[in-house]
Amino acid sequence: MSTFLFVGLGNYGIKYEKTFHNAGFICVEQILINSVKSLNATSNHWVEKYSGLYNSLAIGSDKILFIKPQTYMNNSGSCVTQFKNFFKIDNDNIFIFHDDIDLKPAQIKFKKGGGHAGHNGLKSLDAHIGNDYHRIRIGVGRPSEGFDVANFVLSQMKESEIYAIERISNLISNNLIFLLEKKFSLLQEKINSNFWSLMS
C-alpha cells in the first residue's frame, strides 16, 4: 500500500479561479473527477485541512491525496509540509502540478528536481521540503512582448485554454498507473500521441 500526494498550485478565491497561475488547481480537480468516472474509484468531498482543501482517492490498496493549498501561491510549502509530515509521505511520492510559462499552451512535461525558474509556489516548496519532488509542468505560454509576467499569470484564461488543460488532465488520469510508477516517458508518449485527436 502506497500513499501519494497530488498538489495543485494556485491562488484561492473566485477572482483567481480561471487565471493561468491556477492551472495546477484545474489539473488536479479534473484528474480527480475523471478518475472517479473512469476507474470507478471512491472519493470524498473536498474538506479544509492544514490551510488547504483536501480530497482523497482510493485505487486498490493505494491512496492518492489531492491538495489545493489555500495559502496563496507564495506560501504553498507551509501547507504541503503539514500533509507530508502527517501522512509520512516521501518526496518521491509527491507530485506538484503547476503552470509553466516556458512551455507552449497545452504542452506538458514531467520533471524531478531542478530550479524554480522564479515560480513563487515552487520557491516556497523548495524552502520547506527541498526540491526532490516530481513536477508536472503545465504550459501556459509567455505573454506578448512588453506585458508583465506577473500580470499575465494572474490574467484570465480563455475557455479554450481551460478546456485544453482539462483534456490533458483526463489523459493523465486515463494513464494514472504510469504516473504512479514514475514511467514518465511512457506517459509523455501517451499524451503526445492522443492529445490532438482528443482536442479535434
Side-chain angles (χ1 to χ4, degrees):
M1 176 181 175
S2 297
T3 302
F4 302 90
L5 194 60
F6 282 18
V7 180
L9 296 186
N11 291 304
Y12 72 90
I14 293 174
K15 70 181 282 191
Y16 298 111
E17 204 169 66
K18 296 182 178 181
T19 61
F20 291 102
H21 229 12
N22 273 34
F25 274 13
I26 294 167
C27 195
V28 295
E29 287 169 356
Q30 191 62 30
I31 288 173
L32 177 62
I33 290 167
N34 193 63
S35 295
V36 169
K37 290 178 184 176
S38 63
L39 300 174
N40 197 26
T42 56
S43 170
N44 300 306
H45 297 291
W46 290 95
V47 295
E48 288 187 34
K49 188 179 181 74
Y50 299 140
S51 303
L53 286 178
Y54 155 76
N55 208 327
S56 63
L57 183 71
I59 302 176
S61 60
D62 294 333
K63 187 175 186 180
I64 303 174
L65 311 179
F66 292 80
I67 312 297
K68 295 188 292 181
Q70 303 291 286
T71 54
Y72 288 118
M73 184 68 82
N74 61 3
N75 201 25
S76 303
S78 63
C79 168
V80 174
T81 298
Q82 293 181 80
F83 280 98
K84 168 184 163 65
N85 292 342
F86 182 82
F87 290 99
K88 297 179 174 60
I89 301 173
D90 186 81
N91 278 11
D92 195 46
N93 279 351
I94 296 179
F95 299 83
I96 306 296
F97 297 76
H98 67 90
D99 60 298
D100 195 317
I101 62 170
D102 290 324
L103 297 180
K104 296 176 184 177
Q107 188 178 13
I108 195 159
K109 296 243 177 186
F110 304 92
K111 182 179 182 180
K112 185 175 183 180
H116 52 66
H119 192 291
N120 287 331
L122 297 179
K123 274 188 194 175
S124 178
L125 282 161
D126 291 357
H128 281 82
I129 66 170
N131 73 344
D132 57 335
Y133 48 81
H134 298 284
R135 290 163 47 183
I136 294 81
R137 303 165 60 202
I138 307 158
V140 296
R142 279 193 171 272
S144 11
E145 192 174 342
F147 198 95
D148 181 67
V149 169
N151 289 333
F152 169 72
V153 295
L154 294 178
S155 62
Q156 296 285 313
M157 284 190 277
K158 297 173 185 174
E159 288 302 320
S160 60
E161 291 167 324
I162 295 171
Y163 176 78
I165 292 173
E166 290 175 344
R167 300 288 72 80
I168 289 172
S169 305
N170 287 345
L171 285 173
I172 292 172
S173 64
N174 290 344
N175 298 279
L176 204 52
I177 189 65
F178 293 142
L179 185 62
L180 299 182
E181 292 182 354
K182 290 94 176 182
K183 295 177 179 176
F184 301 114
S185 58
L186 288 173
L187 181 53
Q188 189 83 60
E189 186 181 316
K190 288 282 187 182
I191 291 170
N192 292 346
S193 62
N194 289 287
F195 178 70
W196 293 113
S197 62
L198 193 69
M199 289 297 291
S200 60

